[in-house]
Amino acid sequence: MSVLEIRDLHVSVGEGDDAKEILRGVDLTVRSGETHAIMGPNGSGKSTLAYSIAGHPKYTITGGTVTLDGEDVLEMSVDERARAGLFLAMQYPVEVPGVSVSNFLRTAATAIKGEAPKLRTWVKDVKSEMELLEMNPAFAERNVNEGFSGGEKKRHEILQMRLLKPGIAILDETDSGLDVDALRIVSEGVNRSREEGQVGVLLITHYTRILRYIKPDFVHVFVNGKVVEEGGPELAEKLENEGYAAYVKGSQEVASA
Amino acid sequence: MTDQNTTGLTTESAVLAGELFGEGVGTQAGPPTTPADSTAVAPGAHSHGGTPTGSPAERFTSTDPDAFGVPTGREETWRFTPMKRIKPLLDGAASDARVTWTTDLPEGVELTRVDAGDPLVKGLPEPVDRLAALTRQNSDGADVVRVAKEAQLDRPVTLGLAGTGGDSAGEMPVVWGQLVVEVGAFAKATVVLDHSGLAKYSGGVTVLVGDGAQVTLVSVQEWAPGAVHGGQYDAVVGRDATFKQVVVTLGGDLVRLVSNVQYAGPGGSAELFGVYFSDETQHQEHRLWVDHAVPNCTSNVLYKGALQGEGARTVWIGDVRIRPAATGTETYELNRNLVLTDGARADSVPNLEIETGEIVGAGHASATGRFDDEQLFYLCSRGIDAETARRLVVRGFFADVVQHIGVDALQDRLMATIDARLGALPALDEQPVEVA
Ligand SMILES: Nc1ncnc2c1ncn2[C@@H]1O[C@H](COP(=O)(O)OP(=O)(O)OP(=O)(O)O)[C@@H](O)[C@H]1O
Ligand SMILES: [Mg+2]
């Protein structure tokens, strides 16, 4: 059972005079078993929120708290956060030349579990998850994300989530760049983790498309660095029909007032 | 990240030759002729030398060491090299010292020796600097590896060249060597030169790639500390032939290798891969020169190096020339340097001279920098601690090139050496992982 609590989180990028506040007081609580969708326009700070929770060095936390089961996440190094049970499926996964997928996955699993997984079962697990995600086994021998198509990168992110079994998974636009079939396959992967229980999902997206496959319990509208409205799945429907225009206008007025 | 592009490099060295030897010398210097057809001088090669046509002048070549004069260290070709440390080689004293050879010759391969007067030796591409000319002179003939035409070797040809250190008197005379690898038409062969031990060694290597042949030359420099190694490598790539060279420089005090490629006919392909890893005070210099003088050939250069420790020093010069006749050329060169600590210095100078518009493509890139933070973040975000992530990234940086060798046992051995140098990446089973 995990609880991720974000309280009044303020984050900026850049240094000195160039510093720019991106997150302006985010409040959010995600419990295992729950799925939260975060929807918001381009540039509203969704990835900034995801990266800040994961500990990317580019972002400076200027206020607020993030805790996982009461532990201060902001005090932890990037790898400690992952070992504490946080996982970020990135919007733009990074290529790592010369590091094979199989070596990478096994090193990560070893780090997360605290011991090397038993070779026999591990190989079987990797194989069957890859099959379910309809990834060619040849990917195991390729270099991490190198030359992967956009969709292949996203499948690889979900493969990692499946194998590392996080307590809280943040999926940053995992749906973008996926065709209909890939969207279904990737969503089924996420749903397998949800059905096994114990995972809380923070699903960042622009579009309601993925929410047809992954039903959220809560929907948060994210505009200009904060959550401006919260509701159930019906809120997604409203956004689908009306877009963000009303929120964006409102928040800009507030910002300039 | 820096991207340094110096043009006019070849011009400068030719100007230098002109200064040293007076009028007219530069005009004699054509590209090295091929042994197969000594009249096959590239079109345009003689017409430009010395005349101010705007084309880069020819690179000076000669078998006579004195034609180059004694380098001072200010010359373009020597300006990066620590002259004091390479002096024993440049002094050029003849010797009959040898390195110990250990050979593995598969069926279809013959190892012989020819003397200096042999037409094979006379027809080799000429030396491009004084050291190479001294080497040609002092090696007095050549060791020849012949691969019969159409042979398909069942395993690599391996020549282990081990330095034996000083003689009983504590002296370490220079070992001179000249190797010719002659691969017949349509043969397929991999040749591994495996340098180890302690020596002062200067070795010329020429690979003659027959028409339609596929040849991989691997040169491993795993010298002991204190070793000094200089050498000129030439490849003459036949019509529709494929040549791949993988240079791996890890050991020694000073290694300076010059690799030249020329094409004897259209349709040839050359891939030049290299990795180097320089620790405290090691000087590793790789100079490449790809001369596209015939149509429809390709070249691809990928050199990657890492440096750690005070005084670690690497130099990479990548010259590619596309002559007017070389229509349909496709070339790309990339050099990447990973500077792991302060006090290390990497020089990287790509240089592309294009003299015809009718090419498929030509490009180069050079980047020298620290760790890629995004790569480290990605790995750490999967629970991998920063130290392990760093080792994985550097290991991957090298593996990216080493995996082109295509000889598993050798690849494993080299990666093990690199792992050890990185401070031993622990095996996965024994990797200590903190549990948060
Ligand atoms: N290094 C930086 N310097 C200045 N501004 C930055 C920097 N990095 C991000 N930003 C800005 O922060 C804002 C939020 O970016 P972020 O990537 O979090 O948005 P997003 O909601 O994920 O957008 P998208 O939907 O396009 O993925 C953007 O306006 C972006 O331009
Ligand atoms: Mg984003």
Side-chain angles (χ1 to χ4, degrees), chain A:
Chain A
M1 185 66 196
S2 302
V3 188
L4 177 71
E5 284 193 273
I6 302 163
R7 289 287 163 269
D8 195 29
L9 187 66
H10 289 254
V11 172
S12 60
V13 293
E15 309 218 326
D17 291 348
D18 291 335
K20 182 179 159 199
E21 182 162 67
I22 310 287
L23 298 189
R24 308 183 316 135
V26 179
D27 290 295
L28 200 62
T29 302
V30 181
R31 294 184 176 79
S32 33
E34 298 176 352
T35 297
H36 295 248
I38 292 199
M39 304 186 68
N42 288 128
S44 55
K46 303 182 298 296
S47 293
T48 302
L49 175 63
Y51 278 128
S52 300
I53 298 169
H56 194 292
K58 182 173 120 177
Y59 301 94
T60 311
I61 315 292
T62 53
T65 59
V66 178
T67 59
L68 182 64
D69 303 329
E71 300 282 328
D72 185 353
V73 169
L74 301 177
E75 278 296 306
M76 300 178 195
S77 62
V78 176
D79 50 308
E80 284 169 347
R81 296 178 197 207
R83 295 201 295 270
L86 290 171
F87 179 86
L88 168 59
M90 294 186 203
Q91 186 174 1
Y92 303 108
V94 181
E95 299 188 1
V96 190
V99 178
S100 73
V101 167
S102 66
N103 185 15
F104 164 63
L105 292 175
R106 193 146 180 272
T107 307
T110 303
I112 298 271
K113 293 183 170 63
E115 60 178 14
K118 294 260 178 322
L119 201 56
R120 285 268 295 289
T121 50
W122 172 250
V123 170
K124 212 178 89 227
D125 288 352
V126 174
K127 234 182 111 195
S128 70
E129 278 307 331
M130 286 180 79
E131 248 167 54
L132 287 166
L133 289 165
E134 298 186 19
M135 290 178 78
N136 189 313
F139 275 94
E141 295 317 313
R142 287 176 60 176
N143 294 332
V144 171
N145 292 322
E146 197 176 62
F148 287 22
S149 73
E152 288 162 354
K153 284 181 182 165
K154 297 303 174 72
R155 287 176 209 224
H156 180 224
E157 294 293 284
I158 298 307
L159 174 66
Q160 294 167 51
M161 185 199 71
R162 291 292 300 141
L163 293 168
L164 300 179
K165 306 195 186 313
I168 301 286
I170 304 167
L171 312 180
D172 190 1
E173 301 208 22
T174 298
D175 52 337
S176 68
L178 296 183
D179 62 30
V180 184
D181 288 333
L183 181 64
R184 178 183 50 77
I185 291 159
V186 160
S187 300
E188 284 169 4
V190 176
N191 286 335
R192 278 196 296 283
S193 286
R194 294 168 75 212
E195 281 152 22
E196 286 164 14
Q198 304 317 312
V199 69
V201 177
L202 191 58
L203 184 72
I204 296 174
T205 181
H206 273 279
Y207 306 106
T208 49
R209 199 169 69 128
I210 193 171
L211 304 182
R212 276 179 235 137
Y213 298 95
I214 305 173
K215 295 268 179 255
D217 304 302
F218 306 94
V219 174
H220 310 264
V221 183
F222 201 81
V223 175
N224 208 0
K226 60 207 291 187
V227 176
V228 294
E229 188 169 1
E230 293 176 306
E234 73 290 343
L235 186 51
E237 295 302 319
K238 188 180 153 206
L239 290 171
E240 172 85 2
N241 298 329
E242 298 170 18
Y244 300 110
Y247 299 108
V248 173
K249 198 162 155 278
S251 91
Q252 271 167 355
E253 275 163 14
V254 171
S256 59

Side-chain angles (χ1 to χ4, degrees), chain B residues 388-402:
Chain B
T388 305
R390 220 171 274 133
R391 286 197 206 124
L392 268 180
V393 168
V394 190
R395 196 181 193 281
F397 179 82
F398 285 115
D400 190 34
V401 176
V402 169

